[in-house]
Amino acid sequence: MAQLEIRNLHVEVEGKEILKGLNLDVDPNEVHALMGPNGNGKSTLLAAIMGNPKFTVTQGSITFEGKNVLEMSVDERSRAGLFLGMQYPQEVAGVTNSDFMRAAINARLDKPMPLFKFIKEMESTIKELQMKPDLAHRFLNEGFSGGEKKRNEIVQMKLLKPTLAMLDEIDSGLDVDALKIVAEAIVNMQKERSMGLIVVSHYERFYQLIQPTHAHVLVDGKIVVSGDASLVKRIDSEGYDWIEKEYGVKVEEISDEKPKTAVFSLGSCAASTKKGA
Amino acid sequence: MDNKNLPQEEYKYGFHDEDVSVYNTGKGLSEEIVRLISAKKQEPEWMLELRLKAYRQFVKMDTPQWGPDIKNIDFDDYTYYIKPSEQQEKSWDDVPETIKDTFDKLGIPEAEKKFLAGVSTQYESEVVYHNMLQEVEEKGVIFLDTDSALKYHPELFKKFFGTIVPYTDNKFAALNTAVWSGGSFIYVPKGVKLDKPLQSYFRINSERMGQFERTLIIVDEGADVHYVEGCTAPIYSKDSLHAAVVEIFVHKNAKCRYSTVQNWSSNILNLVTKRAICYEHATMEWIDGNIGSQITMKYPACILAGEYARGMTVSIAVAGKNQIQDAGAKMIHLAPHTYSNIISKSVSRNGGKVNYRGTVRHGKNAAYAKSKVECDTLILDKLSTSDTVPTNIMENATSQIEHEATVSKISEDQLFYLMSRGLTKEAATEMIVMGFLEPFTRELPMEYAVELNQLLKLDMSGSIG
């Protein structure tokens, strides 16, 4: 049995079926590249594994280290060793990165980590990602550039030390230098801890740095082709057209998933009453 | 406890009356009782006269017809004056378990618990208190309870008392003027800047927690003071009507900050009139937290009377089950180039109701005045509600008022994000709420901020459905 085992997974968003019977196995030390045109279910798969309440699993199973993931709450999945580096990390005003990370680390320990040890660990991780030292004291992602948010996701991953990490377009918003720094941090951690990885990216350059051991193409809610790193290269040079021909599936981009901006304020009012929604 | 055992030097600060006899006016209020209170305090004639006028005004006036419904207050059901020595006879056994529990969770020492619960009038921080007093006394600062100030500084007292909150202002200001007892009196001489906050917390005087305390702060030209009232731990009182009055005078180039976190027990009606007047280039800052009590009506005001005067209010109101927090701020601009800033953060949960009610007035003479109002509300569940009731009045053509208001609930995306890092739903919600209130907590002295955070966390537990 694989460490992460997904069988016949069907997932709906707002009543619309996005994943239509997906199977996937991921073991430690494996790096899986997840490809496919936009809107075919890559982000949905990662969100469903992490338990985002907007995504409803209607059929199938997900197990992680033999445990039924679908029965776990989001925080339980995190504490079990799953991590999702998000495409659009949320901003939370008034909560510092360090307070957040400390709470997150302590949530998985019996005894809280000594403060000094935590500070040292956070500082060295921030340094490794070549971010400014004041990151720890800034509010969580608030006012961060796109690239800073992505790097901060990797800071979090390094501090939380997951068994299996999923990275959703973690390379978008990064310039060439930042891309290298982030990729190096990911690879180091993956090697050190024999971590399993599922990576969603549109860029061959990022995959070159990450060096996937497995590659999959997700079309219309199913994995239609699986292979090794050479699959990434072929898609980079030839696109998805050949898949249509060879596998007889229609490959099309389904309306781009719009970034969900951090909607904290639902509305503004003068003298009106808004009751809890 | 026996006041005779207190250290002798206490007398010179006047922290307790020489008369230690037990005294209680019984329930209800009459002219006779007002006279008795004044006589017991051995007050000058003018104060008695003022109290009587205020009493008559109180009888004449209606309760406010706006805001939370308090029309049915039975004023005959309250006791208006109890001597401190009697207050001590309250028993620790009478203090509700919930309050004791909170004290325990906050790790408050035994002696302090009893002090906060109003069971004891003294706890072991005398040393800190005396050091603080010695330091400020050397600079000519007067820091007394209000009764003693009337005794020892009658001229200063008479010059300012009741001048910005006259007894005719509202029914509860009238009531307070008629029966006031205790509170703090501060005078900071010209040019004196105090770098450490003055804290009423260390004022060992049971009357500090009186129902009708009266606070008077005078900051002379170029002086600077930060006054911290009370403490964040819950304060238990059997007396359920609280009507305090605070008057603050900030003279030319002076600065005053008044920080308070009100956390009365949930049986209390807390109806407070707080007002400051700022002269030329003076700055007044209200840092005002409202967590406890059943109904709060409190709108700290700044009258910006001199050119370039500045007023700021940063407030939070947190309303839970059966609570109504009706709070806000008032900025009255009477002079050119005056500036005011209001930041209000409200949270309602478990069916609580939290309102922002504020007034910004730019008068005819307030040319080039500017105001910025920002009120944000976070509603945690379907049972809870909030109203925002701002009044902005501009009477001249050159001034500016900026007003922003938001009402929101906890965002599902934020919750998912925090939970995906291992925080439970409760911990994640708590973190979002604490972050929402951060603009207030960052203004508090460190130890208060820590205590407030802890307190709100306790408060949150069990509030998530």
Side-chain angles (χ1 to χ4, degrees):
Chain A
M1 192 181 208
Q3 186 181 48
L4 177 75
E5 212 174 85
I6 300 173
R7 291 293 174 266
N8 189 32
L9 190 69
H10 290 250
V11 176
E12 275 182 19
V13 183
E14 289 162 358
K16 191 180 169 225
E17 187 163 64
I18 307 287
L19 295 187
K20 303 170 181 174
L22 184 140
N23 300 298
L24 182 68
D25 284 346
V26 180
D27 266 318
N29 238 338
E30 291 180 356
V31 179
H32 291 246
L34 208 53
M35 292 175 299
N38 279 333
N40 279 268
K42 303 186 298 295
S43 293
T44 300
L45 173 62
L46 302 193
I49 296 170
M50 202 66 226
N52 187 328
K54 286 185 179 153
F55 299 78
T56 315
V57 174
T58 53
Q59 257 190 76
S61 65
I62 305 175
T63 57
F64 181 64
E65 294 179 334
K67 285 170 288 188
N68 183 354
V69 169
L70 297 177
E71 279 178 354
M72 300 173 165
S73 62
V74 178
D75 53 310
E76 283 167 349
R77 297 181 198 199
S78 166
R79 294 196 299 271
L82 292 167
F83 178 90
L84 173 58
M86 304 204 190
Q87 193 178 358
Y88 306 110
Q90 290 288 307
E91 299 186 6
V92 186
V95 175
T96 63
N97 275 297
S98 65
D99 281 352
F100 173 47
M101 269 301 100
R102 210 167 147 226
I105 289 172
N106 288 338
R108 57 198 78 221
L109 298 174
D110 293 330
K111 261 197 230 157
M113 180 186 273
L115 183 59
F116 187 65
K117 189 175 178 227
F118 167 75
I119 292 171
K120 262 176 71 176
E121 219 164 281
M122 181 136 194
E123 275 177 357
S124 73
T125 310
I126 289 169
K127 214 170 157 186
E128 187 186 346
L129 271 298
Q130 300 189 23
M131 297 186 78
K132 291 188 193 121
D134 71 351
L135 178 82
H137 310 293
R138 288 173 71 187
F139 294 147
L140 183 52
N141 293 327
E142 202 195 40
F144 282 30
S145 70
E148 279 179 316
K149 283 183 185 169
K150 295 306 177 69
R151 281 204 236 187
N152 196 25
E153 294 292 282
I154 301 303
V155 169
Q156 293 177 21
M157 179 184 82
K158 301 221 67 146
L159 288 169
L160 296 179
K161 304 183 173 63
T163 320
L164 178 93
M166 303 175 278
L167 304 175
D168 194 358
E169 297 200 22
I170 206 75
D171 53 328
S172 67
L174 296 176
D175 59 37
V176 185
D177 294 333
L179 191 72
K180 276 190 191 143
I181 295 162
V182 165
E184 197 174 28
I186 295 167
V187 169
N188 286 345
M189 184 173 185
Q190 191 277 318
K191 295 232 152 76
E192 261 167 45
R193 304 183 55 82
S194 306
M195 184 172 76
L197 254 182
I198 307 175
V199 179
V200 171
S201 169
H202 289 290
Y203 300 103
E204 205 258 338
R205 180 163 45 197
F206 185 60
Y207 284 130
Q208 267 178 16
L209 296 165
I210 295 284
Q211 295 171 329
T213 55
H214 298 66
H216 313 275
V217 180
L218 218 167
V219 176
D220 193 25
K222 285 179 185 168
I223 288 174
V224 291
V225 195
S226 293
D228 56 20
S230 62
L231 187 59
V232 178
K233 269 209 177 100
R234 184 158 181 203
I235 285 168
D236 185 54
S237 56
E238 298 176 36
Y240 293 109
D241 289 351
W242 62 276
I243 293 177
E244 211 163 289
K245 286 177 203 128
E246 280 180 33
Y247 294 89
V249 288
K250 194 156 173 47
V251 180
E252 62 182 353
E253 190 153 316
I254 298 163
S255 67
D256 196 28
E257 295 162 42
K258 287 254 160 56
K260 298 170 200 85
T261 45
V263 185
F264 193 54
S265 305
L266 287 187
S268 101
C269 73
S272 68
T273 308
K274 295 236 173 147
K275 300 201 170 170
Chain B
M1 68 166 291
D2 187 351
N3 283 8
K4 281 174 192 135
N5 291 341
L6 290 175
Q8 195 55 36
E9 68 263 27
E10 279 249 305
Y11 277 96
K12 81 177 183 214
Y13 301 114
F15 284 101
H16 58 92
D17 295 40
E18 281 165 51
D19 180 1
V20 293
S21 66
V22 167
Y23 193 78
N24 183 338
T25 58
K27 278 188 177 178
L29 187 56
S30 65
E31 222 173 280
E32 196 50 34
I33 287 171
V34 174
R35 283 177 194 281
L36 268 169
I37 292 170
S38 191
K40 277 286 152 192
K41 290 172 176 287
Q42 299 170 320
E43 288 176 343
E45 190 61 23
W46 74 268
M47 183 53 76
L48 172 63
E49 287 306 315
L50 186 64
R51 283 182 187 272
L52 289 171
K53 275 195 240 168
Y55 171 69
R56 287 168 205 141
Q57 181 73 18
F58 164 72
V59 173
K60 246 192 333 203
M61 268 181 133
D62 283 333
T63 50
Q65 299 298 303
W66 44 271
D69 187 359
I70 50 169
K71 287 190 281 295
N72 296 326
I73 296 182
D74 180 4
F75 289 102
D76 288 330
D77 197 36
Y78 297 103
T79 303
Y80 290 88
Y81 184 67
I82 305 164
K83 275 223 60 93
S85 41
E86 180 163 297
Q87 283 186 356
Q88 287 168 45
E89 288 174 11
K90 282 191 281 184
S91 149
W92 180 242
D93 295 333
D94 295 339
V95 179
E97 281 307 315
T98 51
I99 300 233
K100 289 182 186 171
D101 213 38
T102 309
F103 286 158
D104 284 341
K105 286 181 183 161
L106 285 172
I108 292 172
E110 199 61 31
E112 197 174 330
K113 281 181 201 168
K114 295 197 166 168
F115 174 74
L116 292 171
V119 186
S120 144
T121 55
Q122 192 167 9
Y123 83 103
E124 294 140 4
S125 58
E126 280 176 78
V127 180
V128 185
Y129 172 61
H130 280 292
N131 286 347
M132 177 181 71
L133 267 193
Q134 217 164 25
E135 231 178 281
V136 301
E137 207 192 14
E138 280 163 14
K139 294 178 173 170
V141 174
I142 301 167
F143 183 31
L144 288 174
D145 72 273
T146 311
D147 292 280
S148 304
L150 174 59
K151 239 174 243 170
Y152 301 121
H153 302 278
E155 310 78 31
L156 196 61
F157 195 98
K158 198 175 174 181
K159 188 174 164 194
F160 291 101
F161 186 91
T163 57
I164 41 171
V165 182
Y167 63 86
T168 49
D169 192 84
N170 64 68
K171 192 174 181 73
F172 297 101
L175 177 62
N176 176 282
T177 309
V179 299
W180 71 268
S181 202
S184 294
F185 179 93
I186 298 170
Y187 171 76
V188 189
K190 271 185 193 171
V192 171
K193 293 182 196 295
L194 297 178
D195 39 349
K196 274 185 237 152
L198 288 180
Q199 306 195 27
S200 71
Y201 189 45
F202 294 118
R203 278 257 320 281
I204 302 147
N205 181 335
S206 68
E207 283 196 309
R208 183 180 78 66
M209 291 193 223
Q211 284 169 265
F212 303 103
E213 53 179 61
R214 182 87 188 200
T215 289
L216 199 56
I217 299 175
I218 303 143
V219 194
D220 216 329
E221 289 182 14
D224 189 336
V225 67
H226 181 187
Y227 175 65
V228 183
E229 180 204 60
C231 57
T232 51
I235 292 176
Y236 173 65
S237 167
K238 281 197 293 189
D239 311 309
S240 51
L241 176 62
H242 287 249
V245 169
V246 177
E247 294 178 282
I248 300 181
F249 301 82
V250 195
H251 288 94
K252 190 176 167 185
N253 295 327
K255 187 179 167 196
C256 178
R257 170 174 276 218
Y258 186 111
S259 301
T260 181
V261 176
Q262 153 309 96
N263 192 13
W264 293 106
S265 44
S266 57
N267 56 327
I268 293 197
L269 301 181
N270 188 37
L271 312 162
V272 178
T273 308
K274 286 180 161 181
R275 202 169 291 166
I277 188 162
C278 301
Y279 297 99
E280 220 178 309
H281 288 281
T283 301
M284 176 67 211
E285 297 169 346
W286 295 104
I287 310 299
D288 195 68
N290 298 290
I291 299 166
S293 79
Q294 184 192 347
I295 295 178
T296 298
M297 291 176 77
K298 194 206 257 182
Y299 323 95
C302 294
I303 299 167
L304 304 172
E307 281 192 37
Y308 295 98
R310 296 168 76 87
M312 175 168 97
T313 300
V314 183
S315 63
I316 58 165
V318 181
K321 197 176 176 189
N322 298 328
Q323 277 186 292
I324 303 176
Q325 300 281 11
D326 200 80
K330 284 184 189 169
M331 294 290 174
I332 312 297
H333 294 244
L334 301 178
H337 301 289
T338 43
Y339 176 78
S340 65
N341 186 11
I342 298 171
I343 298 170
S344 155
K345 297 274 179 180
S346 310
V347 176
S348 61
R349 61 189 183 345
N350 294 334
K353 183 166 180 55
V354 65
N355 298 334
Y356 168 81
R357 192 183 299 278
T359 302
V360 176
R361 176 192 283 267
H362 287 182
K364 284 194 304 290
N365 297 327
Y368 304 104
K370 265 189 194 160
S371 297
K372 202 174 169 214
V373 182
E374 202 186 314
C375 37
D376 301 316
T377 304
L378 192 59
I379 301 177
L380 296 193
D381 53 53
K382 288 182 179 136
L383 300 169
S384 306
T385 57
S386 168
D387 282 331
T388 303
V389 192
T391 307
N392 298 326
I393 302 162
M394 292 170 82
E395 295 170 341
N396 74 79
T398 56
S399 64
Q400 268 181 41
I401 301 177
E402 218 179 288
H403 184 105
E404 279 173 44
T406 64
V407 180
S408 52
K409 58 172 188 159
I410 300 256
S411 119
E412 208 173 71
D413 289 329
Q414 283 186 330
L415 215 47
F416 171 64
Y417 187 61
L418 300 192
M419 286 173 74
S420 78
R421 305 304 186 237
L423 301 187
T424 59
K425 190 173 181 188
E426 287 77 12
T429 305
E430 182 186 291
M431 189 161 264
I432 292 167
V433 172
M434 296 313 297
F436 174 78
L437 296 175
E438 192 275 346
F440 175 81
T441 37
R442 87 173 111 182
E443 299 291 343
L444 291 178
M446 182 67 137
E447 67 273 26
Y448 279 71
V450 170
E451 204 171 64
L452 182 70
N453 277 353
Q454 237 174 319
L455 192 77
L456 288 172
K457 277 181 192 170
L458 293 179
D459 225 32
M460 298 277 306
S461 55
S463 75
I464 316 245

